[in-house]
Amino acid sequence: MGDMTEPRWLTDEEQHVWRAYLHATTLLEDHLDRQLQRDAGMPHIYYGLLVQLSQAPRRRLRMTELAKSAKITRSRLSHAIARLEKNGWVRRENCPSDKRGQFARLTDEGMEVLRQNAPGHVAAVRQALFDRLSPDQVKQLGAIMRVMAEGLEPTDADADLPWLR
Amino acid sequence: MGDMTEPRWLTDEEQHVWRAYLHATTLLEDHLDRQLQRDAGMPHIYYGLLVQLSQAPRRRLRMTELAKSAKITRSRLSHAIARLEKNGWVRRENCPSDKRGQFARLTDEGMEVLRQNAPGHVAAVRQALFDRLSPDQVKQLGAIMRVMAEGLEPTDADADLPWLR
DNA sequence: CCTATGTAGTTCAACTTTCAAGAACGAGTC
DNA sequence: GACTCGTTCTTGAAAGTTGAACTACATAGG
């Protein structure tokens, strides 16, 4: 822990790549947020929740499952689902096997919103990303992102260890 | 406009890459946010503001400049600077040549916070990204991010053109 | 000078996210 | 059962964000 030696700063190239990364990822995030807010009336993350639900077995998932796969806290999900429920796109259902549990289920209206907006969203992603990258670059991006995720994946160790530093 | 033909969905590979992208970028963002919140008491974006200021000519920038280079709205910047000012890390100064203008200037305390946290932050970025990628992958990532940014860069055209779609 | 129009920055209201509790249930132990 | 501890999900308040309205100043044209 007490690594008080001179830190290894980023090389010039690394700095450039890092800035390009921050620049590009925030631009894309903003772009998709705006696109979906405008067309579907919700931010990107909310749209992602609907997508997850639409692909789940009976179009429903336990709250904790959904939170995990969307990588947000349960608290945040509670608020988000409350909002989506108000819109009529999601409905809560009790879990019979565990009375603490709740399912979030995608309603038909929610499915319809998804149907209407999926083409536009895919087009936005295409236009920003896949239509601009060469096939090689798409593969490279995939490999790089997988490496990144591996290093950051919240393992069980993280939960147990008292935080480092 | 009325492109009502069947949309071009993502191929399987593209879908995997897209998910990997979303997964990895949110994990990294969360990771850095937590690291900085814990060590420096501010989120990543606020830290970025201090960095920008630290590199500017007299450690100060006009609000609009800063907003642009941090890629956030002026509104958001106003709030952010208000918060950083409360912490004593930034000070507002009037612009003599334009009475509407404000400079945000990094204070000595702010500079000190930066000094104390830069090593830890760089280490976090290294550990999550550069230490895990091959030299080739670093180059590839840079190229890919530049292509992405090009396609999303808010050009003057965007301001003029009535929005597509 | 006067008016029109644009720009810099802030503020307001609505919304989202976070953080710290807290309520309700499950599971293991005695 | 009664106790403890962990899990599931919700809640409420504080903090942060957004987009539009607003203030103040700048700039250009008559």
Side-chain angles (χ1 to χ4, degrees):
Chain A
M1 289 301 110
D3 181 17
M4 278 318 183
T5 62
E6 176 68 8
R8 288 159 55 221
W9 300 108
L10 298 184
T11 66
D12 270 12
E13 188 193 17
E14 286 169 339
Q15 274 198 42
H16 281 116
V17 172
W18 180 233
R19 293 196 188 201
Y21 173 90
L22 290 176
H23 187 196
T25 53
T26 65
L27 282 180
L28 179 51
E29 173 93 45
D30 287 3
H31 182 65
L32 295 183
D33 255 354
R34 272 184 241 284
Q35 187 259 322
L36 282 169
Q37 187 70 57
R38 172 166 52 80
D39 295 350
M42 64 188 141
H44 189 203
I45 182 111
Y46 284 37
Y47 181 86
L49 295 176
L50 298 190
V51 171
Q52 298 277 354
L53 289 178
S54 76
Q55 294 170 345
R58 302 182 52 191
R59 285 190 194 162
R60 61 179 207 177
L61 281 174
R62 286 287 294 272
M63 294 294 278
T64 297
E65 297 295 319
L66 184 50
K68 245 181 256 174
S69 73
K71 286 165 271 296
I72 62 178
T73 62
R74 287 193 302 277
S75 170
R76 185 174 172 183
L77 180 62
S78 268
H79 291 296
I81 292 294
R83 197 268 223 189
L84 292 172
E85 207 170 12
K86 261 190 200 165
N87 289 329
W89 299 335
V90 168
R91 199 171 41 224
R92 275 181 232 247
E93 290 177 2
N94 295 326
C95 174
S97 65
D98 185 338
K99 289 182 186 169
R100 296 166 303 181
Q102 290 276 111
F103 285 105
R105 176 197 291 273
L106 187 64
T107 64
D108 290 347
E109 293 97 317
M111 197 65 195
E112 187 52 30
V113 170
L114 227 40
R115 273 207 197 85
Q116 287 173 356
N117 287 285
H121 179 61
V122 171
V125 172
R126 264 205 173 294
Q127 175 187 331
L129 200 59
F130 295 110
D131 284 355
R132 310 185 58 86
L133 297 180
S134 70
D136 272 359
Q137 285 181 315
V138 172
K139 285 199 213 327
Q140 293 166 3
L141 181 61
I144 291 168
M145 292 298 137
R146 271 184 287 279
V147 171
M148 279 175 57
E150 270 171 38
L152 293 165
E153 207 77 58
T155 65
D156 291 338
D158 283 348
D160 293 346
L161 287 175
W163 302 287
L164 318 176
R165 281 204 69 89
Chain B
M1 287 315 243
D3 181 18
M4 278 316 181
T5 62
E6 176 69 8
R8 286 160 56 223
W9 300 107
L10 298 184
T11 66
D12 270 11
E13 187 192 17
E14 285 168 339
Q15 274 197 43
H16 281 114
V17 172
W18 180 233
R19 292 196 190 201
Y21 172 89
L22 290 177
H23 187 199
T25 53
T26 65
L27 283 180
L28 180 52
E29 174 95 43
D30 286 3
H31 182 66
L32 295 182
D33 257 354
R34 272 186 242 284
Q35 186 259 324
L36 282 169
Q37 188 70 57
R38 171 165 53 79
D39 296 349
M42 64 187 140
H44 189 203
I45 182 107
Y46 284 38
Y47 181 85
L49 295 176
L50 298 190
V51 170
Q52 298 277 353
L53 289 178
S54 76
Q55 294 170 344
R58 301 184 52 189
R59 285 188 195 163
R60 60 180 210 178
L61 281 174
R62 287 288 293 272
M63 295 294 278
T64 298
E65 296 295 320
L66 183 49
K68 244 180 259 175
S69 72
K71 286 165 272 297
I72 62 178
T73 61
R74 289 194 302 279
S75 169
R76 185 174 174 184
L77 181 61
S78 268
H79 292 294
I81 292 295
R83 199 269 223 186
L84 292 173
E85 208 171 12
K86 262 190 198 165
N87 288 329
W89 299 335
V90 168
R91 198 169 44 225
R92 275 181 231 248
E93 290 177 2
N94 293 326
C95 175
S97 65
D98 185 338
K99 289 182 185 170
R100 295 167 304 181
Q102 289 277 104
F103 284 105
R105 176 197 291 271
L106 186 64
T107 64
D108 290 348
E109 292 97 317
M111 197 65 196
E112 187 52 29
V113 170
L114 226 41
R115 273 206 197 86
Q116 287 173 357
N117 288 286
H121 179 60
V122 171
V125 173
R126 260 200 177 300
Q127 175 189 333
L129 199 60
F130 294 111
D131 284 355
R132 309 184 59 87
L133 297 180
S134 71
D136 271 0
Q137 285 181 315
V138 172
K139 285 198 213 327
Q140 293 166 4
L141 181 60
I144 291 168
M145 291 298 139
R146 270 185 287 279
V147 171
M148 279 175 58
E150 268 171 40
L152 293 164
E153 205 78 57
T155 64
D156 292 337
D158 283 348
D160 294 346
L161 286 176
W163 302 285
L164 317 175
R165 281 205 64 90

